Amino acid sequence: MKSFGKILLVCGFVIAAGAGISSGGTGMDIKTQAFGRLPDGTAVEVYSLTNEKGLEARIMTYGATLVSLEVPDRMGKAGDIVLGYESLDGYIKNSPYFGSIVGRYGNRIAKGKFILDGVTYTLAANNGENHLHGGIKGFDKVVWNAEPVREEGVAAIKFSYLSRDGEEGYPGNLAVVVIYSLSNDNELKISYEARTDKATPVNLTHHSYFNLAGEGDVLGHELMIASDAYTPVDSGLIPTGEIRPVMGTPFDFTSPHAIGERIAKVEGGYDHNFVLRKGGGELSRAALAAEPKSGRTMEITTTEPGLQFYSGNFLDGTITGKGGRVYSKHAGFCLETQHFPDSPNKPGFPSTILRPGRVYKSLTVHKFSTR
Ligand code: BGC
């Protein structure tokens, strides 16, 4: 084994600063490398998690962002199945939340306002008059602390961030921990924990744009969603409050359908929250996506009650990403496990309010396979 720069040994893993280090025995590896600097000079690192099946997840400290995910196809050929940029610069200049952790509140809060315990809070409006994905500088645009996790059988990185009282208009100091872990079962798990010192809405999610073919658009991907109902939206993509059955509509993914099959019947494309059958709490299946040519499949299980299915409608060919690929409409799709959009203003939706003394916990597992 060669050594380059600073090396740390954690529970059988070799944590290496720089390239070219491999661990003995477990087939799992964690490496870290510099990924660039923010305009204010803050250093950003990227961690690479690998398993013995040929999966590699690279996650950087800016936005706790998954920058690449190499997964073998049915022939064993690895391909990067998430959209993004090759360097930090692109993420800083113009990223529609590629691969990032989204918070303090994933998706929209109408007019950036909500009333909690009799107090009206006003959040940053960054999507027309609405608040989207945590505001102007959400959790996707901050540098997280990172440390490798000592856990048997997985390669994992723990990211932490303290969101200060008043940040983007939210009440309370919110301490957030997000752990990405990769196992030899080809599971990429994302677990979340948060604690606050004042009551606040919290709704954390992960915003990868997947393309299981690693090229082209995603209209031919087959998708199943374990949901019998969805939350219709108004013209500003704010839920109306109604919970409407999917049966007989283009939102019925209870059996697999190609994403493109009925998309023309959905104004603007899919950008909707699906109410998951299990209702949250216990880890259960939310979705299964399959790409026929590569054979790659991705199953998502979650403890969350909702899943935002976004079919990359706002990608318009103005972004050139990794490998010089132009990201046109529907170049990737997001499956964001979360509570429902605008819950702080919708008493009929499951509550997203975290109170002092309570712990916010959430877990989502992406399992990769081929057929
Ligand atoms: C939202 C979209 C939004 C996209 C990127 C998704 O989670 O539902 O409306 O355009 O994120 O910002």
Side-chain angles (χ1 to χ4, degrees), residues 32-33 35-36 38 42-47 58-67 88 139-147 157-161:
T32 177
Q33 266 188 323
F35 198 59
L38 300 189
T42 308
V44 173
E45 278 85 42
V46 66
Y47 286 82
R58 289 168 62 241
I59 307 140
M60 66 164 162
T61 52
Y62 179 74
T65 299
L66 180 66
V67 295
L88 179 62
F139 293 0
D140 58 299
K141 295 182 187 66
V142 300
V143 175
W144 295 61
N145 289 319
E147 55 177 293
I157 302 289
K158 174 176 164 179
F159 291 94
S160 50
Y161 174 64

